Amino acid sequence: MKKDKDLLTEAVHALCRSLKMPGALRVLDELARDLDARGAQTLEVMEAVLSTEVLSREASAVRLRIQEAHFPRLFTLEDFDFGSGCGVEKAPVMALATGALVDEKRNVVLVGPVGTGKTHLATGLGLSAARQRHRVAWYRA
């Protein structure tokens, strides 16, 4: 029981740091002791509330990045038909979607005739990057 409580305390501390809540961090241990003395299950409630807040902030950050990118339409890589005979292989595209090129500060240029899926692929890669919390901008050349 003691170990579980220590792990839960560490989780709540980490969530407070992630949310940049120094005031909560300063009073957390004392507040938890006081409420524990009264039999309240404070840490479980706090962990649930803070986890929800972290997830909400992460989702908002992704939504904002997608909105700021100004994509023409929201095409996803999951919807792209790699078997359509367009000559695009799935494995290299999915490797690009991991975000490694963003971390390496490299460019991707998609070239081909009309209707081969360049816009779809570029948008899908941009959405993947935005979901990884990278800033993305859409420009048609």
Side-chain angles (χ1 to χ4, degrees):
M1 181 71 180
K2 175 79 168 142
K3 184 176 182 182
D4 291 335
K5 186 175 177 183
D6 290 342
L7 289 174
L8 193 55
T9 301
E10 284 182 37
V12 172
H13 278 264
L15 289 164
C16 286
R17 283 191 296 277
S18 176
L19 292 168
K20 295 179 176 43
M21 298 174 63
L25 272 172
R26 281 191 295 275
V27 299
L28 179 64
D29 292 329
E30 183 180 341
L31 180 63
R33 273 192 304 274
D34 290 347
L35 291 171
D36 258 355
R38 292 187 236 159
Q41 300 298 319
T42 312
L43 290 176
E44 288 88 353
V45 172
M46 289 181 70
E47 194 269 339
V49 169
L50 294 172
S51 292
T52 302
E53 180 63 19
V54 167
L55 291 174
S56 173
R57 286 186 185 192
E58 288 173 356
S60 293
V62 169
R63 270 194 311 276
L64 181 62
R65 281 174 174 72
I66 290 171
Q67 182 181 358
E68 289 174 343
H70 300 290
F71 293 115
R73 283 187 52 204
L74 295 181
F75 295 111
T76 65
L77 293 177
E78 293 78 20
D79 294 335
F80 188 77
D81 184 9
F82 288 97
S84 67
C86 61
V88 178
E89 294 180 27
K90 186 173 184 173
V93 173
M94 296 316 245
L96 292 173
T98 64
L101 287 178
V102 175
D103 296 334
E104 297 169 9
K105 296 179 174 62
R106 296 182 63 199
N107 298 317
V108 175
V109 178
L110 303 172
V111 180
V114 174
T116 55
K118 297 178 301 292
T119 299
H120 191 138
L121 289 172
T123 304
L125 291 170
L127 279 172
S128 293
R131 288 180 181 135
Q132 296 164 24
R133 300 186 69 177
H134 293 289
R135 294 199 183 275
V136 178
W138 174 262
Y139 297 100
R140 185 181 298 268

